[in-house]
Amino acid sequence: MLLERLGKELIYFDGGMGTLLQSRGLKPGELPEVWNLEHADEVIDIHRQYFEAGSDIVLSNTFGANAIKFHDSEHSLKEIVKAAIDNVKKAAKLGVHDGREVYAALDVGPTGKLLKPMGDLGFEEAYHAFKETVQYGEAAGADLIHIETMSDSYEVKAAVLAAKENTNLPVFATMIFDEKGKLLTGGDVPSVVAMLEGLRVDALGINCGMGPEQMMTILEELLRYTSVPIIVKPNAGLPKQRDGEVYYDVTPQQFAGQMEKIVDMGACVIGGCCGTTPDHIRAMTDRTRGMYVKAPEKKNMTIVSSYGQSVVLGKKPVIIGERINPTGKKKFKQALKDHDMDYILKEGITQQDKGAHILDVNVGLPDIDEVEMMKEVVTELQSVSSLPLQIDTVDIRAMEAAMRIYNGKPMINSVNGKQENMDAVFPLIQKYGGVVVGLTLDEDGIPATAEGRIKIAGKIIEEAKKYGIDKKDIIIDVLTMTISSEPEGAKVTLEALKGVRETYGVCTVLGVSNISFGLPFRPAVNSNFYTMAMQNGLSAGIINPSSEDMMRSYYSFCALMNYDENCEAYIRQYGSQAPVTVAAKPAELTLKEAIKKGLKEEAFHTTKELIKEQEPLDIINQYLIPALDEVGKGFEKGTIFLPQLLMSADAAKIAFAVIKDVLAQKGGDLQNKDKIILATVKGDIHDIGKNIVKVLLENYSFDVIDLGKDVPPETIVETAVREDIRLVGLSALMTTTVVSMEETIKLLREKKPECKVMVGGAVLNQEYADMIGADFYGKDAMQSVYYAQKIFER
């Protein structure tokens, strides 16, 4: 059995498929998956060579086989998947001569689309596309599902859920990181690991995007955070060109030597991706067979994550912002009733700016649909903030709905010691992953003593084990009782807090401000209790980060306990000026701030007011463009992530629309726009990168002619000539389609030589872009904007 071998012995994947099919006649624009039926012998022969080279797991030729890509194919998806799995099994009979156990893996690649809110593909749409593929794969006899080359944590979540909910097969997942250890959509290694392990994948890792040497840095980080077996499948270095043919610059022997180091570091499932051949795999298996495999080490880190960052609890105290909660907040209640999403988002952004690490989200009101409101608020918040969220609800339906669509590994508030409650909540944690808050109350209420609360904490931890939930994913709340009605309440809470940490070694959380309910000058009591709680082992305080008293306590405690190296955060906060005692109101956002934060409604109303007093071009030059520039620079530096970049672009688009409307009413218009063509080249149906570039170019007032995906060279060139285009942008994700990019550039040079060409895509680099004759290689979307500005002398 595969799972019994996993992590105990070295397991080998196969290598690349696309370039091998090209060498056998796959034409530009032809779908590789169709070859499973029309050229089955060729596909079987490639699989056979990999088995003979020593591969234990061979991937079916189904990387792009899903309903989104194959909606108008003459062959049904079911036919293609069945043939693909059959081909692997036939190859195994031909290529395995030593009696070893081998496996046919259903290969599942990305849809080629961005999921909402960044793109136009819904989460459940993606889920159903993957569901169809994995069901066909299992029915055809696949031994496991391998989800690979994923650049979006949200898309991989949809794929993993589809596999877990609809099949009984082992599930592996590998992501494509850049050299900084980031996904296209901003995720880092710990955030991805936390989410995938929460979803209970059997193995995870990295593939594509770089060669083995470059992957070692990412592997080091994977080893630091991962408790399950790690997969590493590099490219054979970088793509280059010789005599019109694409080749990769790492030879089989070089590849084998580097893979030996990767195994020695701790990877236990290895293989190859783009550019690797049976020769690479044979050299790798010959070099590494018999090597000692380091068993995966269990990591005892309590991690919550979003799509863009992770928060590790347990050492330095963490701040959970409490303001997205209607309890005791008239304005927030009204915002929920009025569906005033911008007010809610501003509360989140303000808390982020004030120093919160996690945002609590509670939208429970008697007269609203909590399930739908929770889903909407979680989705919208994740589009403007990269902070992890705490889903705070007693409604189990709302809890599951939010956990399902949450992008990351959330904190869940809460479960308690009542059996009925644990029976309802723990299956959700088991299925979706999450760090769950355990309240120390049960059928008998809240114990009056510290011992009683510590005992319930133990009961919760033990019950969680039945669901495979480790104590690292439980954070105990020993409950804050108000001292105005319970004079010993603070002492009992602090004693229980310390006892839970010492007895079980788990993290802790408290709603701090409950301590002072009913008392005058509550901030003084709250802030002093907060310091006492942190001293007694509080891992996370649910507080108002806009309260200066609470934040003074926090920064002082961190400096005193040496959590704040060289007191840098304390000095940064208080060194240059006297402490500010009044928090900025969320309503006082300028247009520039609204765009930077991605607040669409705020951008609309602020522009409406500004245009009554200022000239349209002044608004564009003083507010819109500077805001977009700041966001763009933040994106390049890695401090702002793709969702925020795109939400800022949406907010700017709304502001531009207001300005255009006013100008139209006055009989005017904005200056003529410079035209740019964008296209994903023939044979490639992945248009994520192109669509991101389009959004940004349009916000910088370029007129983008979007020709779509799978566009023949002739169409691009004809349009460039007809529209007298000065700049064309070409995108490709697949190694098999870069040749179409080169054809397009050659034709442009012949028919419109003065036209500049910029290129981008996961399979490209500067050297390869130079080889195919491009004028510019855009490493990211903002680089394309800067190049366009340069070409049009802006």
Side-chain angles (χ1 to χ4, degrees), residues 15 72 95 167 177 206 215 256 338 382 428 436 478 599 625 662 727 739 749:
D72 55 0
T167 78
F177 291 96
I206 178 172
M215 275 193 183
D338 295 343
Q382 287 208 286
L428 300 183
V436 64
V478 295
L599 295 172
I625 298 301
V662 170
L727 178 61
V739 64
R749 295 287 180 250

Side-chain angles (χ1 to χ4, degrees), residues 401-689:
M403 290 177 75
R404 186 173 183 84
I405 56 95
Y406 180 78
N407 190 353
K409 180 184 180 183
M411 201 158 165
I412 304 299
N413 194 354
S414 57
V415 71
N416 60 54
K418 295 178 181 178
Q419 192 61 49
E420 182 182 14
N421 186 258
M422 291 189 288
D423 291 345
V425 175
F426 282 145
L428 300 183
I429 305 299
Q430 180 187 42
K431 179 177 180 179
Y432 296 109
V435 171
V436 64
V437 174
L439 305 181
T440 53
L441 62 89
D442 62 11
E443 287 83 358
D444 297 323
I446 302 170
T449 65
E451 292 78 12
R453 297 184 201 177
I454 294 168
K455 186 178 178 182
I456 293 175
K459 176 184 173 183
I460 292 169
I461 292 166
E462 284 303 310
E463 185 69 18
K465 287 180 184 176
K466 297 175 184 176
Y467 296 87
I469 300 166
D470 195 271
K471 68 178 184 179
K472 71 179 181 180
D473 285 333
I474 298 170
I475 181 165
I476 295 295
D477 185 343
V478 295
L479 301 169
T480 306
M481 311 305 290
T482 179
I483 56 172
S484 61
S485 59
E486 293 194 29
E488 294 289 307
K491 290 163 67 177
V492 171
T493 296
L494 294 173
E495 186 183 343
L497 194 63
K498 190 173 184 180
V500 162
R501 287 299 294 264
E502 291 176 350
T503 305
Y504 305 114
V506 295
C507 293
T508 55
V509 63
L510 286 175
V512 177
S513 59
N514 295 345
I515 198 74
S516 65
F517 190 77
L519 293 176
F521 197 53
R522 294 181 64 188
V525 178
N526 292 345
S527 58
N528 279 284
F529 176 68
Y530 185 29
T531 301
M532 295 167 76
M534 288 189 285
Q535 184 62 32
N536 280 275
L538 181 66
S539 310
I542 304 174
I543 68 167
N544 177 7
S546 291
S547 164
E548 191 59 37
D549 295 274
M550 298 300 275
M551 296 308 287
R552 280 196 199 106
S553 292
Y554 178 77
Y555 286 118
S556 301
F557 179 83
C558 290
L560 289 164
M561 297 303 293
N562 198 26
Y563 292 129
D564 178 8
E565 191 173 348
N566 300 319
C567 302
E568 288 178 6
Y570 183 89
I571 293 167
R572 189 165 57 246
Q573 190 70 13
Y574 302 118
S576 60
Q577 59 184 27
V580 179
T581 55
V582 180
K585 295 177 183 177
E588 297 175 349
L589 285 174
T590 64
L591 176 58
K592 186 177 175 183
E593 285 298 309
I595 290 169
K596 282 166 59 181
K597 303 297 185 187
L599 295 172
K600 298 187 277 287
E601 286 294 315
E602 192 78 15
F604 174 80
H605 293 299
T606 310
T607 308
K608 280 258 188 188
E609 291 303 310
L610 274 176
I611 206 157
K612 294 175 184 176
E613 303 168 3
Q614 295 190 33
E615 290 297 316
L617 283 177
D618 290 340
I619 295 171
I620 292 169
N621 293 326
Q622 291 174 26
Y623 300 98
L624 270 65
I625 298 301
L628 289 169
D629 283 342
E630 276 191 46
V631 171
K633 285 170 185 169
F635 179 66
E636 286 186 292
K637 291 176 184 174
T639 56
I640 285 173
F641 303 107
L642 184 61
Q644 296 155 287
L645 180 77
L646 296 180
M647 292 305 112
S648 295
D650 281 349
K653 193 177 287 185
I654 285 169
F656 273 119
V658 171
I659 292 168
K660 286 179 192 171
D661 286 347
V662 170
L663 283 172
Q665 289 167 16
K666 294 178 179 179
D669 197 359
L670 292 173
Q671 63 190 43
N672 289 333
K673 293 181 179 181
D674 301 308
K675 292 181 181 179
I676 299 173
I677 285 175
L678 292 183
T680 300
V681 297
K682 183 173 175 59
D684 207 317
I685 55 174
H686 300 84
D687 60 358
I688 291 174

